[in-house]
Amino acid sequence: MTTHWFFWLFLAFFILHELWENGLVLLNIAHTKKHAGEIPSFYRDKIEPDRYAKSIAYTIDKARIGLVVSFIAIPILWAAIFSGFFDSLDLRLSSLIPAGSLTRSTAYCAVVGLIGIILKIPVSLYSNFVLEAKYGFNKMTAKTFAADFFKELFLSALLGIPLLYLIFWLYAQTGPVWWLWAFGALFGFQFFVAAVYPVWLAPLFNKFTPLAEGELKASILALAKNIRFKLSGIFTIDGSKRSGHSNAYFAGMGRMRRIVLFDTLTEQMTNREILSVLAHEMGHNIKKHVVKYLIYSFFYALAGFAVLGRVIDWEPLFSAFRAGPPAPHKALVLFGLFAGYFTFWLTPLWNAISRRHEYEADRFSVETTKDKEGMTQALLKLSKENLSNLTPHPLYSFCHYSHPTTLERIQAINRDY
Ligand SMILES: [Zn+2]
């Protein structure tokens, strides 16, 4: 039996991906180590030597764990392919559930998804209870970890299983343009989840407390009013229950749009700094970044479904991954697992777009609050408290960073004003 070119193409993309990604991480580790001896001049009077050393150690530890995980994942992935796992799982299910039924297709995807979730448990345990704990970030107890795990599992099943049923039903009912219907269903579904997330889902994981009346709340409301930003509530959440990392975000749409501040953020920052951060977040909305991102991902996902529509019964896809005879559920799983090796090369483009948006949001924040110093201090605090890498390799940050580095952002603020 000759091997189809598609297998070789995938293999080439796979090898390139591993070489490039792991090579880039090694490059970044070397670059970070090289700068370990001396604090970059810009930060010299802004960060304590201890904290700088800690940020370097944290960066390197995190990178090393990433390398280990990626080296363990390679043999697991290829063992699954060469052992014919994607076919044998289907055969095993066939003794339980009749072929061609929606239940069988859904069960196949659910089992693969469950295996993926189980395989990630050790990584997640290690990263929380060893790595993050070592640097004082982890605040999670074993109980919270277990509760999170089961809640996430339950929600994935509750939302994912009906969606899979719907997709396989559309495949069976709508003929050659099934992928267009499936795309519509998935996009509508994601829209729905994004809309209800802050009100229905997020409270399952965190306690939401309306921000107390006071100076901070009054100034946030004044800022929102000033730029005509509609919102339905300002909340703080107990982010400190899991991690010392700090954050703030907007979630939901229309009437359900909320500002959410992590308690870790309100503890670390002054009101002035929090206001600058929120003005930045509002900037993403006012400058239409959210809408733009939605439009890009709309077309990106549409293209993805068009490809899926073509390969769903394409024999070489199944033979490349030793998956037996073509079936829609196998195609969906193979596509989900392996398409990323081809599309991975677009991530620098996504990140470049995102970084441009970050600069625009920073600029918006400084223009509306008229407080260059507030934004500068907020950025410095965020990077210090989170032990961000202050000296990433430029190629690494170009490919991986969705945000410009703190130094780049502070320089941009000071250049423009
Ligand atoms: Zn931003």
Side-chain angles (χ1 to χ4, degrees):
M1 195 180 98
T2 55
T3 305
H4 193 271
W5 59 263
F6 175 71
F7 173 78
W8 299 116
L9 183 73
F10 171 73
L11 186 64
F13 268 88
F14 182 85
I15 293 171
L16 273 177
H17 171 269
E18 295 303 318
L19 287 176
W20 175 259
E21 274 300 85
N22 294 314
L24 210 54
V25 171
L26 289 171
L27 189 71
N28 196 42
I29 292 179
H31 190 82
T32 308
K33 271 188 183 164
K34 203 173 83 189
H35 289 82
E38 202 182 12
I39 303 178
S41 55
F42 174 79
Y43 289 104
R44 218 154 283 162
D45 53 346
K46 298 179 183 73
I47 186 166
E48 310 80 32
D50 282 2
R51 190 173 278 274
Y52 180 65
K54 206 172 160 191
S55 80
I56 298 223
Y58 181 54
T59 300
I60 292 173
D61 274 358
K62 247 192 332 188
R64 283 199 183 130
I65 286 156
L67 286 175
V68 171
V69 171
S70 109
F71 284 124
I72 295 173
I74 295 171
I76 294 180
L77 195 67
W78 287 96
I81 294 173
F82 285 124
S83 67
F85 165 79
F86 298 106
D87 191 30
S88 60
L89 174 67
D90 201 39
L91 294 173
R92 210 159 284 183
L93 285 175
S94 71
S95 60
L96 303 170
I97 311 164
S101 72
L102 300 179
T103 308
R104 161 95 166 273
S105 297
T106 303
Y108 182 87
C109 298
V111 170
V112 176
L114 189 63
I115 294 171
I117 290 171
I118 291 169
L119 285 176
K120 282 186 192 131
I121 295 176
V123 182
S124 177
L125 280 172
Y126 186 87
S127 120
N128 279 300
F129 294 105
V130 181
L131 175 76
E132 295 287 298
K134 181 176 164 190
Y135 293 93
F137 286 127
N138 183 50
K139 303 278 181 264
M140 195 157 29
T141 60
K143 201 177 139 198
T144 312
F145 184 89
D148 280 0
F149 177 80
F150 287 110
K151 278 186 228 170
E152 278 164 21
L153 194 64
F154 174 73
L155 276 180
S156 309
L158 186 74
L159 298 169
I161 290 173
L163 182 70
L164 284 166
Y165 259 102
L166 177 63
I167 288 177
F168 292 120
W169 182 78
L170 289 168
Y171 176 75
Q173 299 296 322
T174 55
V177 290
W178 73 270
W179 57 272
L180 212 55
W181 287 97
F183 164 74
L186 185 71
F187 213 77
F189 173 79
Q190 281 184 333
F191 218 80
F192 168 75
V193 172
V196 301
Y197 174 80
V199 179
W200 290 354
L201 303 183
L204 298 175
F205 295 91
N206 280 102
K207 209 171 103 196
F208 281 65
T209 317
L211 184 65
E213 296 296 334
E215 194 201 331
L216 180 61
K217 188 175 175 183
S219 46
I220 294 173
L221 290 175
L223 174 72
K225 198 177 165 207
N226 177 22
I227 57 173
R228 296 199 184 84
F229 183 90
K230 287 191 199 73
L231 56 98
S232 73
I234 309 167
F235 293 83
T236 54
I237 60 166
D238 50 349
S240 59
K241 164 167 119 176
R242 295 193 181 81
S243 162
H245 288 298
S246 48
N247 202 358
Y249 67 87
F250 281 89
M253 293 170 208
R255 273 169 204 280
M256 290 195 273
R257 187 151 74 181
R258 291 175 163 189
I259 294 181
V260 180
L261 299 166
F262 280 47
D263 54 358
T264 36
L265 189 85
T266 48
E267 272 157 33
Q268 288 162 4
M269 288 194 181
T270 64
N271 286 358
R272 235 177 108 186
E273 291 157 1
I274 293 173
L275 213 60
S276 292
V277 170
L278 290 179
H280 167 104
E281 295 300 331
M282 291 180 193
H284 282 309
N285 262 280
I286 305 275
K287 294 281 174 190
K288 308 254 179 292
H289 298 159
V290 180
V291 175
K292 277 184 199 162
Y293 193 79
L294 208 64
I295 294 171
Y296 299 146
S297 30
F298 179 90
F299 286 106
Y300 187 66
L302 184 63
F305 269 88
V307 174
L308 183 61
R310 292 197 77 104
V311 301
I312 197 145
D313 49 7
W314 190 51
E315 217 282 322
L317 173 73
F318 300 88
S319 63
F321 299 110
R322 312 285 192 276
H329 49 277
K330 291 183 204 168
L332 208 65
V333 161
L334 295 175
F335 197 78
L337 284 176
F338 301 115
Y341 290 95
F342 297 99
T343 56
F344 159 79
W345 304 94
L346 294 171
T347 26
L349 178 71
W350 286 107
N351 282 333
I353 295 172
S354 166
R355 285 194 301 263
R356 209 184 61 205
H357 288 168
E358 292 307 322
Y359 281 127
E360 284 175 16
D362 281 348
R363 175 186 275 261
F364 179 86
S365 170
V366 175
E367 275 171 3
T368 43
T369 58
K370 308 221 168 16
D371 186 6
K372 197 164 82 174
E373 197 46 32
M375 190 72 212
T376 305
Q377 289 308 324
L379 286 169
L380 277 172
K381 254 187 206 170
L382 276 174
S383 82
K384 281 201 306 197
E385 294 291 342
N386 291 311
L387 294 178
S388 305
N389 183 8
L390 300 182
T391 54
H393 191 282
L395 188 60
Y396 183 85
S397 60
F398 176 79
C399 294
H400 277 263
Y401 279 24
S402 61
H403 289 57
T405 63
T406 304
L407 179 58
E408 287 167 335
R409 291 173 73 175
I410 293 174
Q411 279 173 340
I413 290 170
N414 287 294
R415 193 172 51 234
D416 294 348
Y417 296 94

